[in-house]
Amino acid sequence: TRQQLFTKTGTLYACGSNEFGQLGTGQSGSNNVNPSPVSTVSGIVTAGAGRGFSVIANKAGSCYSFGFPKDGLLGHGSDGKFLGVGNKWEYSIETRPREIEALMGFKIAKVSCGSLHTIALDVEGRVWTWGFGGYGRLGHGDNKNQMTAAKLEHFHNEPEQKPASTNAMFFRPQRPRRLKKIAAGSRCCWGIDEHGRVYFWGITKSSGEATMYPKFFEGLSGWNVREIASGYSSTICASEDSLITWGPSPTSGELGYGEGDAKSSTVTKKVMDLEETNILKVAMGYNHALAIVDPGDGGKKIYEKLAIFDPPELKDIPNRDELIAKALASSSSTSGSKRKREEAGDGDEEEEDEEEDVTKLSVKELKARLKDAGLRVSGKKAQLAQRLKTHLKKKAKK
């Protein structure tokens, strides 16, 4: 619903939905169709955007957040909740960047936001997480929300000192565990260490088991991973001369396997159309993926063979600005109504999972899911899909 962009000189621009001040321009409510500069900060080197909130850091390593404070999303020590007019719960939003006190004194090099949480990395490879804690996405071993940017102790250990009574020949000290890269998925976090090994915690599939603290991801064991990104349930990474993706059904083509191949994969799988290329950068949205390919070393010859995605440019669409404004207004109205329904509760409810589109499942997959739920597996595909959809809605309400 919005975008954050920063230039080589560190100027931050924001556009899109601004219902909770998440653009950082000092205002809230009105959407920005055109990118607007965030004038209160400069020298920005990294930025992240979650559901109704934003996090940024500058070249000095100072980290700021702004937007909706519920569940500790901003890392300022509280959820910003107060009793307003008519004894109704309200939230004190931040419409301008506010520095996160818990990170003062550390030089933050990278931030990444999931839907309701944030992970931050400093120049020494240490990690902090905060926000909504469901499914273990913060990595602290529980489902608790973190109102303040909290150290992820797994990546804050210090060099082990040799005990005086231990022979130096037999002493093998534990080295500090540090990360070089981080990425937040919708409900999880990923990390890459100096050896290209990948850590994971959280969950990517609602029916799966959550990983409550950082663990080596066995699916990429033996690969030297350089880049990684994650969306709602799918993941993309660059390793050596390969692009690797995976994600459970249903997917929308973000895995890049091609028309004649599988639409989903629960195990890591190469994207063969880009095999033997040097992938410089990867990114993944809710259900789409991007990869930047190095044209050198034969890369250009490989990607020139691919089909060209060439949709009409926005500038060629009649009434462009009017259409964009209407779309943003409609989106803001819908999200506002949903947020009001959420705030009518006590503020501590679990995050609502995005509704799964079961119509994309095959008949075999539908029957397997229904069988696991103890439901009838007879009937046509439309009947099976409706039966599973009804079951999932009932389960969500419980």
Side-chain angles (χ1 to χ4, degrees):
T1 57
R2 75 190 186 286
Q3 297 287 342
Q4 286 182 322
L5 312 98
F6 55 91
T7 66
K8 285 185 177 180
T9 58
T11 302
L12 179 69
Y13 292 86
C15 55
S17 174
N18 196 32
E19 184 179 359
F20 305 106
Q22 61 262 46
L23 298 187
T25 57
Q27 300 175 330
S28 64
S30 59
N31 297 323
N32 283 13
V33 177
N34 297 310
S36 299
V38 181
S39 58
T40 56
V41 290
S42 60
I44 303 304
V45 295
T46 181
R51 188 185 299 175
F53 71 100
S54 302
V55 182
I56 58 176
N58 62 20
K59 59 185 178 182
S62 300
C63 191
Y64 304 81
S65 63
F66 40 102
F68 197 60
K70 186 182 178 184
D71 297 326
L73 298 179
L74 303 185
H76 295 310
S78 77
D79 60 1
K81 193 175 181 181
F82 66 94
L83 203 58
V85 179
N87 288 329
K88 293 183 178 180
W89 288 112
E90 297 180 20
Y91 292 88
S92 178
I93 62 176
E94 296 284 348
T95 61
R96 292 191 183 279
R98 175 183 168 188
E99 189 170 0
I100 299 175
E101 291 185 14
L103 297 177
M104 291 181 179
F106 300 99
K107 190 172 183 178
I108 302 303
K110 174 69 176 177
V111 297
S112 183
C113 298
S115 59
L116 294 171
H117 72 292
T118 300
I119 178 172
L121 176 76
D122 77 352
V123 293
E124 294 184 16
R126 296 171 296 193
V127 178
W128 290 257
T129 59
W130 66 92
F132 183 77
Y135 300 110
R137 71 192 72 186
L138 301 183
H140 299 294
D142 54 39
N143 290 312
K144 296 179 181 178
N145 298 344
Q146 290 289 343
M147 301 295 166
T148 303
K151 291 180 180 180
L152 193 48
E153 295 295 342
H154 191 82
F155 301 110
H156 280 261
N157 67 317
E158 296 300 329
E160 187 178 2
Q161 301 298 317
K162 185 184 77 69
S165 59
T166 302
N167 190 316
M169 289 183 61
F170 304 104
F171 179 61
R172 297 292 181 269
Q174 185 182 59
R175 298 180 61 189
R177 291 181 295 270
R178 301 290 186 262
L179 295 182
K180 289 184 67 177
K181 301 282 182 71
I182 56 169
S186 180
R187 298 167 296 176
C188 66
C189 287
W190 298 88
I192 304 174
D193 70 11
E194 61 181 343
H195 304 293
R197 297 176 299 190
V198 175
Y199 288 86
F200 170 80
W201 58 98
I203 196 170
T204 57
K205 187 179 179 181
S206 298
S207 59
E209 184 177 346
T211 301
M212 306 303 291
Y213 54 88
K215 288 185 178 180
F216 281 123
F217 183 68
E218 295 297 333
L220 290 169
S221 178
W223 289 93
N224 182 14
V225 179
R226 302 190 312 274
E227 295 282 340
I228 195 164
S230 189
Y232 176 62
S233 60
S234 297
T235 306
I236 183 172
C237 73
S239 176
E240 298 167 3
D241 292 330
S242 297
L243 180 67
I244 302 170
T245 62
W246 68 97
S249 180
T251 59
S252 301
E254 68 267 26
L255 303 183
Y257 299 146
E259 293 293 338
D261 208 327
K263 304 301 180 186
S264 63
S265 176
T266 56
V267 297
T268 55
K269 185 177 178 180
K270 292 181 180 180
V271 178
M272 298 310 298
D273 282 344
L274 290 175
E275 184 66 359
E276 299 299 324
T277 59
N278 180 21
I279 307 297
L280 300 176
K281 192 76 175 177
V282 296
M284 183 165 279
Y286 180 82
N287 54 10
H288 72 289
L290 301 169
I292 300 177
V293 180
D294 184 353
D297 296 325
K300 185 176 182 180
K301 291 182 180 179
I302 292 176
Y303 70 66
E304 281 183 343
K305 296 178 182 178
L306 302 177
I308 297 176
F309 178 63
D310 190 21
E313 295 295 335
L314 281 176
K315 59 182 175 58
D316 297 328
I317 299 176
N319 304 318
R320 166 186 176 273
D321 293 341
E322 182 180 348
L323 290 172
I324 294 175
K326 285 183 178 179
L328 286 172
S330 174
S331 174
S332 176
S333 174
T334 302
S335 62
S337 299
K338 181 179 179 181
R339 184 69 73 176
K340 287 177 181 177
R341 290 197 300 271
E342 291 176 350
E343 292 171 16
D346 62 3
D348 296 323
E349 67 274 8
E350 279 277 310
E351 170 194 5
E352 291 185 16
D353 286 327
E354 292 82 350
E355 185 174 336
E356 180 181 358
D357 185 3
V358 297
T359 60
K360 292 184 178 180
L361 298 175
S362 66
V363 172
K364 184 177 180 181
E365 290 171 322
L366 286 167
K367 288 184 176 181
R369 295 278 294 275
L370 288 168
K371 184 177 180 180
D372 290 342
L375 300 174
R376 285 192 302 116
V377 295
S378 61
K380 296 181 178 180
K381 181 177 180 179
Q383 294 172 314
L384 298 174
Q386 184 58 45
R387 195 174 301 149
L388 180 57
K389 187 175 182 180
T390 302
H391 167 69
L392 291 175
K393 284 184 176 180
K394 289 181 179 179
K395 186 177 178 182
K397 287 181 181 179
K398 291 179 182 180

